[in-house]
Amino acid sequence: MTANSPTPVACLLGPTASGKTAAALAFASRRPVEIISVDSALVYRGMDIGTAKPNAAELAAVPHHLIDIVDPLDAYSAADFRADTLRLVADITARGRTPLLVGGTMLYYRALTQGLNDLPSADAEVRASLDSDAARDGWPALHARLAQVDPVTAARLAPNDSQRVQRALEVFMLTGHTMSALLAAPARIDDAARDWRFVPVALEPSDRSVLHARIERRFDAMLRDGFLAEVEGLRARGDLHLGLPSMRCVGYRQAWEYLDGACDYPTMRDKGVFATRQLCKRQLTWLRGMERTVVDCCAADATERAVRAVESVLRTPET
């Protein structure tokens, strides 16, 4: 590379249960690495089992960043992630170590690599008003309201996708502009991002049914490991509710509703598995829309293949 060319930073991406953590730890065993989490659920303290957070031994073996950094009552945005990650990449590199981005929150990755659109920050008063409307009329009614003002965004959202329907309505109420129009506008790229070239290596399944089976086994393991007790503890705080981004994380909403008595245990379990599979589908859709190196996460040697792909990123100069 020339003195002025951006430094490559490997990004190990993939859907849930694709083996990202194993590959990241295997790579970290070969060189001085610090891992930066690209996961909107891992930022929350006290949410360990349901997020498949790295365990204590894994966190101790390799320095990890952007894990356990906010309370579930608080918000953490893509803009926060972008600012924190650019700072961390610079700091880690200055220490003579290798930053490795690992995760599957593709909105975070998009904000990091493509810049930020002029979307407003969350507004508690507006969200409370929308939650009240949804409690009275239901989220499909709010989806219909969104379709009247922003049919493009409404067309890509399910009527019961409360988090995204609320956000799209919130954006329109705060700015007078639709989310689809704001997202279509050129994003802002700051100078700090120009020092780095983020290169994605994606763990993706050649057979999606293999990943679906992994998801099912992992959700069952979470339930055996005390996931419901974890959610009970969060509920017992008294200040958390299903309107918060933290409690909308996959699995947590379904467990909360079960503890509310809204469904029985088998239904909660099936809804949790289904929601995780839907998350996987969305993650793969994001990934397939970008240029990336693909590693088959179903292969017996997927971890070693991923490690080699990450190593090649760091060896390859910009062309």
Side-chain angles (χ1 to χ4, degrees), residues 16-107:
T16 185
S18 59
K20 299 182 295 294
T21 296
L25 293 175
F27 178 71
S29 70
R30 305 187 185 189
R31 65 164 70 203
V33 165
E34 297 190 28
I35 293 172
I36 301 173
S37 170
V38 188
D39 191 303
S40 60
L42 297 190
V43 300
Y44 296 114
R45 292 188 291 270
M47 296 173 58
D48 304 329
I49 298 172
T51 62
K53 193 172 290 179
N55 60 40
E58 291 167 338
L59 292 172
V62 183
H64 285 70
H65 302 275
L66 304 188
I67 293 178
D68 291 336
I69 59 171
V70 297
D71 186 84
L73 187 62
D74 299 325
Y76 187 79
S77 68
D80 294 328
F81 169 81
R82 189 173 194 272
D84 287 344
T85 297
L86 290 173
R87 171 182 53 79
L88 285 165
V89 168
D91 291 348
I92 293 167
T93 304
R95 289 195 289 270
R97 299 176 67 85
T98 300
L100 175 65
L101 275 62
V102 182
T105 300
M106 304 312 301
L107 179 63

Coordinates of all heavy atoms in Angstrom, one line a residue, residues 16-107:
T16 N -27.1 -14.9 12.3 CA -27.0 -15.5 13.6 C -26.8 -17.0 13.4 O -27.2 -17.7 12.5 CB -28.4 -15.3 14.3 OG1 -28.2 -15.9 15.6 CG2 -29.5 -15.9 13.6
A17 N -26.0 -17.6 14.3 CA -25.6 -19.0 14.4 C -24.8 -19.5 13.2 O -24.7 -20.7 12.9 CB -26.9 -19.9 14.4
S18 N -24.1 -18.5 12.5 CA -23.2 -18.9 11.4 C -21.8 -19.3 11.8 O -21.0 -19.6 10.9 CB -23.2 -17.8 10.3 OG -22.7 -16.6 10.9
G19 N -21.4 -19.1 13.1 CA -20.1 -19.4 13.5 C -19.1 -18.3 13.5 O -17.9 -18.5 13.5
K20 N -19.6 -17.1 13.6 CA -18.7 -15.9 13.6 C -17.8 -15.9 14.8 O -16.6 -15.6 14.7 CB -19.5 -14.6 13.6 CG -20.4 -14.5 12.4 CD -21.2 -13.2 12.4 CE -22.2 -13.1 13.5 NZ -23.3 -14.0 13.4
T21 N -18.3 -16.2 16.0 CA -17.5 -16.1 17.2 C -16.3 -17.1 17.2 O -15.2 -16.8 17.5 CB -18.3 -16.4 18.5 OG1 -19.3 -15.3 18.6 CG2 -17.5 -16.4 19.7
A22 N -16.6 -18.3 16.8 CA -15.6 -19.4 16.7 C -14.5 -19.0 15.7 O -13.3 -19.1 16.0 CB -16.2 -20.7 16.2
A23 N -14.9 -18.4 14.5 CA -13.9 -18.0 13.6 C -13.1 -16.8 14.1 O -11.8 -16.8 13.9 CB -14.6 -17.6 12.3
A24 N -13.7 -15.9 14.8 CA -13.0 -14.7 15.3 C -12.0 -15.1 16.3 O -10.8 -14.6 16.3 CB -14.0 -13.7 15.9
L25 N -12.4 -16.0 17.2 CA -11.4 -16.5 18.3 C -10.3 -17.3 17.7 O -9.2 -17.2 18.1 CB -12.2 -17.3 19.3 CG -13.2 -16.5 20.2 CD1 -14.0 -17.5 21.1 CD2 -12.5 -15.4 21.0
A26 N -10.6 -18.1 16.6 CA -9.5 -18.8 16.0 C -8.5 -17.9 15.3 O -7.3 -18.1 15.4 CB -10.1 -19.8 14.9
F27 N -9.0 -16.8 14.7 CA -8.1 -15.8 14.1 C -7.3 -15.1 15.2 O -6.1 -14.9 15.0 CB -8.9 -14.8 13.3 CG -8.1 -13.7 12.6 CD1 -7.2 -14.0 11.6 CD2 -8.1 -12.4 13.1 CE1 -6.5 -13.0 11.0 CE2 -7.4 -11.4 12.6 CZ -6.5 -11.7 11.5
A28 N -8.0 -14.8 16.3 CA -7.3 -14.1 17.3 C -6.2 -14.9 18.0 O -5.3 -14.3 18.7 CB -8.3 -13.6 18.4
S29 N -6.2 -16.2 17.9 CA -5.2 -17.1 18.4 C -3.9 -17.0 17.6 O -2.9 -17.5 18.1 CB -5.7 -18.5 18.5 OG -5.8 -19.1 17.2
R30 N -3.9 -16.3 16.5 CA -2.8 -16.3 15.6 C -2.1 -15.0 15.5 O -1.0 -14.9 15.0 CB -3.2 -16.7 14.2 CG -3.9 -18.1 14.1 CD -4.2 -18.5 12.7 NE -5.0 -19.8 12.8 CZ -5.3 -20.5 11.7 NH1 -4.8 -20.1 10.5 NH2 -6.0 -21.6 11.8
R31 N -2.7 -13.9 16.0 CA -2.1 -12.6 16.0 C -2.7 -11.8 17.1 O -3.8 -12.1 17.6 CB -2.2 -12.0 14.6 CG -3.6 -11.6 14.2 CD -3.5 -10.7 13.0 NE -3.0 -11.3 11.8 CZ -2.5 -10.6 10.8 NH1 -2.4 -9.2 10.9 NH2 -2.1 -11.2 9.7
P32 N -2.1 -10.6 17.5 CA -2.7 -9.8 18.5 C -3.9 -9.0 18.0 O -3.8 -8.0 17.3 CB -1.5 -8.8 18.9 CG -0.7 -8.8 17.6 CD -0.8 -10.2 17.0
V33 N -5.1 -9.5 18.3 CA -6.3 -9.0 17.8 C -7.2 -8.4 18.9 O -7.1 -8.9 20.1 CB -7.1 -10.1 17.1 CG1 -8.6 -9.8 16.8 CG2 -6.4 -10.5 15.8
E34 N -7.9 -7.4 18.6 CA -9.0 -6.9 19.4 C -10.3 -6.9 18.6 O -10.3 -6.4 17.5 CB -8.7 -5.5 20.0 CG -7.4 -5.5 20.9 CD -7.2 -4.2 21.6 OE1 -8.2 -3.5 21.9 OE2 -6.0 -3.9 21.9
I35 N -11.3 -7.5 19.2 CA -12.6 -7.6 18.5 C -13.5 -6.5 18.8 O -13.7 -6.1 19.9 CB -13.2 -9.0 18.9 CG1 -12.4 -10.1 18.3 CG2 -14.7 -9.1 18.3 CD1 -12.8 -11.5 18.8
I36 N -14.1 -5.9 17.7 CA -15.2 -4.9 17.8 C -16.5 -5.5 17.4 O -16.6 -6.0 16.3 CB -14.9 -3.7 17.0 CG1 -13.5 -3.1 17.3 CG2 -16.0 -2.7 17.1 CD1 -13.1 -2.0 16.4
S37 N -17.4 -5.6 18.4 CA -18.7 -6.2 18.1 C -19.6 -5.4 17.2 O -19.7 -4.2 17.4 CB -19.4 -6.5 19.4 OG -20.8 -6.9 19.2
V38 N -20.2 -6.0 16.2 CA -21.1 -5.3 15.3 C -22.5 -6.0 15.5 O -23.0 -6.7 14.7 CB -20.7 -5.5 13.8 CG1 -21.6 -4.6 12.9 CG2 -19.2 -5.2 13.6
D39 N -23.0 -5.7 16.7 CA -24.2 -6.4 17.1 C -25.0 -5.5 18.1 O -24.5 -5.1 19.1 CB -23.8 -7.7 17.9 CG -25.1 -8.6 18.1 OD1 -26.0 -8.1 18.7 OD2 -25.0 -9.8 17.7
S40 N -26.2 -5.2 17.6 CA -27.0 -4.2 18.4 C -27.6 -4.8 19.7 O -28.1 -4.0 20.5 CB -28.2 -3.7 17.5 OG -29.0 -4.8 17.1
A41 N -27.5 -6.1 19.9 CA -28.0 -6.7 21.1 C -26.9 -6.8 22.2 O -27.2 -6.8 23.4 CB -28.7 -8.1 20.8
L42 N -25.7 -7.1 21.7 CA -24.6 -7.3 22.7 C -24.2 -6.1 23.4 O -23.5 -6.1 24.4 CB -23.4 -7.9 21.9 CG -23.5 -9.2 21.3 CD1 -22.2 -9.8 20.8 CD2 -24.2 -10.2 22.2
V43 N -24.7 -4.9 23.0 CA -24.3 -3.7 23.7 C -25.0 -3.6 25.1 O -24.5 -2.9 26.0 CB -24.7 -2.4 22.9 CG1 -24.0 -2.4 21.6 CG2 -26.2 -2.3 22.7
Y44 N -26.0 -4.4 25.3 CA -26.8 -4.2 26.5 C -26.3 -5.1 27.7 O -26.1 -6.3 27.5 CB -28.3 -4.6 26.3 CG -28.9 -3.7 25.3 CD1 -29.4 -4.1 24.1 CD2 -29.1 -2.3 25.6 CE1 -30.0 -3.3 23.2 CE2 -29.8 -1.5 24.7 CZ -30.2 -1.9 23.5 OH -30.8 -1.1 22.6
R45 N -26.1 -4.5 28.8 CA -25.7 -5.2 30.0 C -26.9 -6.0 30.6 O -28.1 -5.6 30.5 CB -25.3 -4.2 31.1 CG -24.0 -3.5 30.8 CD -23.4 -2.7 31.9 NE -24.3 -1.5 32.2 CZ -24.1 -0.3 31.6 NH1 -23.1 -0.1 30.8 NH2 -24.9 0.7 32.0
G46 N -26.6 -7.2 31.1 CA -27.6 -8.0 31.7 C -28.4 -8.8 30.7 O -29.4 -9.5 31.1
M47 N -28.1 -8.8 29.4 CA -28.8 -9.5 28.4 C -27.7 -10.5 27.8 O -27.1 -10.1 26.8 CB -29.4 -8.6 27.4 CG -30.5 -7.8 28.0 SD -31.2 -6.5 26.8 CE -31.7 -7.5 25.4
D48 N -27.5 -11.6 28.4 CA -26.4 -12.5 28.1 C -26.8 -13.7 27.4 O -26.3 -14.1 26.3 CB -25.6 -12.8 29.3 CG -25.1 -11.6 30.1 OD1 -24.8 -10.6 29.4 OD2 -25.0 -11.7 31.3
I49 N -27.7 -14.4 27.9 CA -28.1 -15.7 27.4 C -28.9 -15.6 26.0 O -28.5 -16.2 25.0 CB -29.0 -16.5 28.4 CG1 -28.2 -16.8 29.7 CG2 -29.5 -17.8 27.8 CD1 -29.1 -17.3 30.8
G50 N -29.9 -14.7 26.0 CA -30.7 -14.5 24.8 C -30.0 -13.9 23.7 O -30.5 -14.0 22.5
T51 N -28.9 -13.2 23.9 CA -28.1 -12.6 22.8 C -26.9 -13.5 22.4 O -26.2 -13.1 21.4 CB -27.5 -11.3 23.3 OG1 -26.6 -11.5 24.4 CG2 -28.6 -10.3 23.7
A52 N -26.8 -14.7 23.0 CA -25.6 -15.5 22.7 C -24.3 -14.8 22.8 O -23.4 -14.9 22.0 CB -25.7 -16.1 21.3
K53 N -24.2 -14.0 23.9 CA -23.0 -13.2 24.2 C -21.8 -14.1 24.4 O -22.0 -15.1 25.0 CB -23.3 -12.3 25.4 CG -22.3 -11.2 25.6 CD -22.8 -10.3 26.7 CE -24.0 -9.4 26.3 NZ -24.5 -8.5 27.4
P54 N -20.6 -13.7 23.9 CA -19.5 -14.5 24.3 C -19.4 -14.7 25.8 O -19.7 -13.8 26.6 CB -18.3 -13.7 23.7 CG -18.9 -12.9 22.6 CD -20.3 -12.6 23.1
N55 N -18.9 -16.0 26.2 CA -18.9 -16.2 27.6 C -17.7 -15.6 28.3 O -16.9 -15.0 27.6 CB -18.9 -17.7 27.9 CG -17.7 -18.5 27.2 OD1 -16.6 -18.0 27.2 ND2 -18.0 -19.7 26.7
A56 N -17.6 -15.7 29.6 CA -16.5 -15.0 30.3 C -15.2 -15.4 29.9 O -14.2 -14.6 29.7 CB -16.7 -15.3 31.8
A57 N -15.0 -16.7 29.6 CA -13.7 -17.2 29.1 C -13.3 -16.6 27.7 O -12.1 -16.2 27.5 CB -13.7 -18.7 29.0
E58 N -14.3 -16.5 26.9 CA -14.0 -16.0 25.5 C -13.7 -14.5 25.6 O -12.8 -14.0 24.9 CB -15.2 -16.2 24.6 CG -15.4 -17.7 24.3 CD -16.8 -18.0 23.7 OE1 -17.7 -17.2 23.9 OE2 -16.9 -19.0 23.0
L59 N -14.5 -13.8 26.5 CA -14.2 -12.3 26.6 C -12.9 -12.1 27.3 O -12.2 -11.1 27.0 CB -15.3 -11.7 27.5 CG -16.7 -11.7 26.9 CD1 -17.7 -11.2 27.9 CD2 -16.7 -10.7 25.6
A60 N -12.4 -13.0 28.1 CA -11.1 -12.8 28.8 C -10.0 -13.2 27.9 O -8.9 -12.7 28.0 CB -11.1 -13.7 30.0
A61 N -10.2 -14.1 26.9 CA -9.1 -14.6 26.0 C -8.7 -13.5 25.0 O -7.5 -13.4 24.7 CB -9.6 -15.8 25.3
V62 N -9.6 -12.7 24.6 CA -9.4 -11.7 23.6 C -10.1 -10.4 24.0 O -11.2 -10.4 24.4 CB -9.9 -12.1 22.2 CG1 -9.6 -11.1 21.1 CG2 -9.4 -13.5 21.8
P63 N -9.4 -9.2 23.9 CA -10.1 -8.0 24.2 C -11.3 -7.8 23.2 O -11.2 -7.9 22.0 CB -9.0 -6.9 23.9 CG -7.7 -7.6 24.1 CD -8.0 -9.0 23.6
H64 N -12.5 -7.5 23.8 CA -13.7 -7.2 23.1 C -14.2 -5.8 23.4 O -14.0 -5.3 24.5 CB -14.8 -8.2 23.5 CG -14.7 -9.6 23.0 ND1 -13.7 -10.4 23.4 CD2 -15.4 -10.3 22.0 CE1 -13.8 -11.6 22.8 NE2 -14.8 -11.5 21.9
H65 N -14.8 -5.2 22.4 CA -15.3 -3.8 22.5 C -16.8 -3.8 22.1 O -17.2 -4.6 21.2 CB -14.5 -2.9 21.7 CG -13.0 -2.8 22.0 ND1 -12.5 -2.1 23.0 CD2 -12.0 -3.5 21.5 CE1 -11.2 -2.3 23.1 NE2 -10.8 -3.1 22.2
L66 N -17.5 -2.8 22.6 CA -18.9 -2.6 22.3 C -19.8 -3.7 22.8 O -20.8 -4.0 22.1 CB -19.1 -2.3 20.8 CG -18.3 -1.1 20.3 CD1 -18.7 -0.7 18.8 CD2 -18.4 0.1 21.2
I67 N -19.4 -4.3 23.9 CA -20.2 -5.3 24.5 C -20.4 -4.9 26.0 O -19.5 -4.4 26.6 CB -19.5 -6.7 24.5 CG1 -19.5 -7.3 23.1 CG2 -20.3 -7.7 25.4 CD1 -18.8 -8.6 23.0
D68 N -21.7 -5.0 26.5 CA -22.0 -4.5 27.8 C -21.7 -3.1 28.1 O -21.1 -2.7 29.1 CB -21.2 -5.4 28.9 CG -21.8 -6.8 28.9 OD1 -22.9 -7.0 28.5 OD2 -21.0 -7.7 29.3
I69 N -22.1 -2.2 27.2 CA -21.7 -0.8 27.3 C -22.9 0.1 27.6 O -22.7 1.3 28.0 CB -21.0 -0.2 26.0 CG1 -21.9 -0.4 24.8 CG2 -19.7 -0.9 25.8 CD1 -21.4 0.3 23.5
V70 N -24.1 -0.4 27.5 CA -25.3 0.5 27.8 C -26.3 -0.3 28.6 O -26.4 -1.6 28.5 CB -26.0 1.1 26.6 CG1 -25.0 2.0 25.8 CG2 -26.5 0.0 25.7
D71 N -27.1 0.3 29.4 CA -28.2 -0.3 30.1 C -29.3 -0.5 29.2 O -29.6 0.2 28.2 CB -28.6 0.7 31.3 CG -29.7 0.0 32.2 OD1 -29.3 -0.7 33.1 OD2 -30.9 0.2 31.9
P72 N -30.1 -1.6 29.4 CA -31.2 -1.9 28.5 C -32.3 -0.8 28.5 O -33.1 -0.8 27.5 CB -31.9 -3.2 29.1 CG -30.7 -3.8 29.8 CD -29.9 -2.7 30.4
L73 N -32.3 0.1 29.4 CA -33.2 1.2 29.4 C -32.8 2.3 28.4 O -33.6 3.1 27.9 CB -33.3 1.9 30.8 CG -34.4 3.0 31.0 CD1 -35.8 2.4 30.8 CD2 -34.3 3.5 32.4
D74 N -31.5 2.3 28.0 CA -31.0 3.4 27.2 C -30.9 2.9 25.7 O -31.0 1.7 25.4 CB -29.6 3.7 27.7 CG -29.6 4.3 29.1 OD1 -30.6 4.9 29.4 OD2 -28.7 4.0 29.8
A75 N -30.8 3.9 24.8 CA -30.7 3.7 23.4 C -29.2 3.7 22.9 O -28.4 4.4 23.6 CB -31.5 4.7 22.6
Y76 N -28.9 3.0 21.9 CA -27.6 3.0 21.3 C -27.9 2.9 19.8 O -28.4 2.0 19.3 CB -26.8 1.8 21.7 CG -25.3 1.8 21.2 CD1 -24.4 2.7 21.9 CD2 -24.9 1.1 20.2 CE1 -23.1 2.7 21.4 CE2 -23.6 1.1 19.7 CZ -22.7 1.9 20.4 OH -21.4 2.0 19.9
S77 N -27.5 4.0 19.1 CA -27.8 4.1 17.7 C -26.7 3.7 16.7 O -25.6 3.5 17.1 CB -28.2 5.6 17.4 OG -27.0 6.4 17.5
A78 N -27.1 3.6 15.4 CA -26.1 3.3 14.4 C -25.0 4.5 14.4 O -23.8 4.2 14.1 CB -26.7 3.2 13.0
A79 N -25.5 5.7 14.6 CA -24.5 6.8 14.7 C -23.5 6.6 15.8 O -22.3 6.9 15.7 CB -25.2 8.1 14.8
D80 N -24.0 6.2 17.0 CA -23.2 5.9 18.1 C -22.1 4.8 17.8 O -20.9 4.9 18.1 CB -24.0 5.4 19.3 CG -24.9 6.5 19.9 OD1 -24.5 7.7 19.8 OD2 -26.0 6.1 20.4
F81 N -22.6 3.8 17.1 CA -21.7 2.7 16.7 C -20.7 3.2 15.8 O -19.5 2.8 15.9 CB -22.5 1.6 16.0 CG -21.7 0.5 15.4 CD1 -21.1 -0.5 16.1 CD2 -21.4 0.6 14.0 CE1 -20.3 -1.4 15.5 CE2 -20.6 -0.3 13.4 CZ -20.0 -1.4 14.1
R82 N -21.0 4.0 14.8 CA -20.1 4.5 13.8 C -19.0 5.3 14.5 O -17.8 5.1 14.3 CB -20.8 5.3 12.8 CG -19.9 5.7 11.6 CD -20.7 6.4 10.5 NE -20.0 6.4 9.3 CZ -19.2 7.4 8.9 NH1 -19.0 8.4 9.8 NH2 -18.5 7.4 7.8
A83 N -19.4 6.2 15.4 CA -18.4 7.0 16.0 C -17.5 6.2 16.9 O -16.2 6.4 16.9 CB -19.1 8.1 16.9
D84 N -18.1 5.3 17.7 CA -17.3 4.5 18.6 C -16.3 3.6 17.8 O -15.1 3.4 18.2 CB -18.2 3.6 19.5 CG -18.9 4.4 20.5 OD1 -18.5 5.5 20.8 OD2 -19.9 3.9 21.1
T85 N -16.8 3.0 16.7 CA -16.0 2.1 15.9 C -14.8 2.8 15.3 O -13.7 2.3 15.3 CB -16.8 1.3 14.9 OG1 -17.8 0.5 15.6 CG2 -16.0 0.4 14.0
L86 N -15.0 3.9 14.7 CA -13.9 4.6 14.1 C -12.9 5.0 15.1 O -11.7 4.9 14.8 CB -14.5 5.9 13.3 CG -15.3 5.6 12.1 CD1 -15.9 6.9 11.6 CD2 -14.5 5.0 11.0
R87 N -13.3 5.4 16.3 CA -12.3 5.7 17.3 C -11.6 4.5 17.8 O -10.4 4.5 17.9 CB -13.1 6.3 18.5 CG -12.2 6.5 19.8 CD -13.1 7.0 20.9 NE -14.3 6.3 21.2 CZ -14.3 5.1 21.9 NH1 -13.1 4.6 22.4 NH2 -15.4 4.5 22.1
L88 N -12.3 3.4 17.9 CA -11.7 2.1 18.4 C -10.7 1.6 17.4 O -9.6 1.1 17.7 CB -12.7 1.1 18.7 CG -13.5 1.3 20.0 CD1 -14.8 0.4 20.0 CD2 -12.6 0.9 21.2
V89 N -11.0 1.6 16.1 CA -10.1 1.1 15.1 C -8.8 1.9 15.1 O -7.7 1.3 15.0 CB -10.8 1.2 13.7 CG1 -9.8 1.0 12.6 CG2 -11.9 0.1 13.6
A90 N -8.9 3.2 15.2 CA -7.7 4.0 15.3 C -6.9 3.7 16.5 O -5.7 3.6 16.5 CB -8.1 5.5 15.3
D91 N -7.6 3.6 17.7 CA -6.8 3.3 18.9 C -6.2 1.9 18.9 O -5.0 1.8 19.3 CB -7.8 3.3 20.1 CG -8.3 4.8 20.4 OD1 -7.7 5.7 19.8 OD2 -9.3 4.9 21.2
I92 N -6.9 0.9 18.4 CA -6.3 -0.4 18.4 C -5.1 -0.5 17.4 O -4.1 -1.1 17.8 CB -7.4 -1.4 17.9 CG1 -8.5 -1.5 19.0 CG2 -6.8 -2.8 17.6 CD1 -9.8 -2.2 18.5
T93 N -5.3 0.1 16.3 CA -4.1 0.2 15.3 C -2.9 0.9 15.9 O -1.8 0.5 15.7 CB -4.6 0.8 14.0 OG1 -5.7 0.1 13.5 CG2 -3.5 0.8 13.0
A94 N -3.2 2.0 16.6 CA -2.1 2.7 17.2 C -1.4 1.9 18.3 O -0.2 2.1 18.5 CB -2.6 4.0 17.8
R95 N -2.1 1.0 18.9 CA -1.4 0.1 19.9 C -0.6 -1.0 19.2 O -0.1 -1.9 19.9 CB -2.5 -0.5 20.8 CG -3.1 0.5 21.8 CD -3.8 -0.2 22.9 NE -5.1 -0.9 22.5 CZ -6.3 -0.3 22.4 NH1 -6.4 1.0 22.8 NH2 -7.3 -0.9 22.1
G96 N -0.6 -1.1 17.9 CA 0.1 -2.1 17.2 C -0.7 -3.5 17.2 O -0.1 -4.5 16.9
R97 N -2.0 -3.4 17.4 CA -2.8 -4.6 17.3 C -3.7 -4.5 16.1 O -3.8 -3.5 15.5 CB -3.6 -4.7 18.7 CG -2.6 -4.9 19.9 CD -3.4 -4.9 21.2 NE -4.2 -6.1 21.3 CZ -3.7 -7.3 21.8 NH1 -2.5 -7.4 22.1 NH2 -4.5 -8.3 21.9
T98 N -4.4 -5.6 15.9 CA -5.3 -5.7 14.7 C -6.7 -5.7 15.1 O -7.2 -6.5 15.8 CB -5.0 -7.1 14.0 OG1 -3.7 -7.2 13.6 CG2 -5.9 -7.2 12.8
P99 N -7.5 -4.7 14.6 CA -8.9 -4.6 14.8 C -9.6 -5.6 13.9 O -9.3 -5.8 12.8 CB -9.3 -3.2 14.5 CG -8.3 -2.8 13.5 CD -7.0 -3.5 13.8
L100 N -10.6 -6.3 14.5 CA -11.4 -7.3 13.7 C -12.9 -7.0 14.1 O -13.3 -7.1 15.2 CB -11.1 -8.7 14.0 CG -11.9 -9.8 13.4 CD1 -11.8 -9.8 11.9 CD2 -11.6 -11.2 13.9
L101 N -13.7 -6.6 13.1 CA -15.1 -6.3 13.3 C -15.8 -7.7 13.2 O -15.6 -8.4 12.2 CB -15.6 -5.3 12.3 CG -15.5 -3.8 12.7 CD1 -14.0 -3.5 12.9 CD2 -16.2 -2.9 11.8
V102 N -16.7 -8.0 14.1 CA -17.4 -9.3 14.1 C -18.9 -9.0 14.5 O -19.2 -8.5 15.5 CB -16.8 -10.3 15.1 CG1 -17.6 -11.6 15.0 CG2 -15.3 -10.4 14.8
G103 N -19.8 -9.5 13.6 CA -21.2 -9.4 14.0 C -22.2 -9.5 12.8 O -21.8 -9.8 11.7
G104 N -23.4 -9.2 13.1 CA -24.5 -9.3 12.0 C -25.5 -8.2 12.0 O -26.5 -8.4 11.3
T105 N -25.3 -7.1 12.7 CA -26.2 -6.0 12.6 C -25.8 -5.2 11.4 O -24.9 -4.3 11.4 CB -26.2 -5.2 13.9 OG1 -26.6 -6.0 15.0 CG2 -27.1 -4.0 13.7
M106 N -26.5 -5.5 10.3 CA -26.0 -4.9 9.0 C -26.3 -3.4 8.9 O -25.7 -2.7 8.2 CB -26.7 -5.6 7.9 CG -26.4 -7.2 7.9 SD -24.7 -7.6 8.1 CE -24.0 -6.8 6.7
L107 N -27.3 -2.9 9.7 CA -27.5 -1.5 9.7 C -26.3 -0.7 10.2 O -25.9 0.3 9.8 CB -28.8 -1.1 10.5 CG -29.1 0.4 10.6 CD1 -29.4 1.0 9.3 CD2 -30.3 0.6 11.6

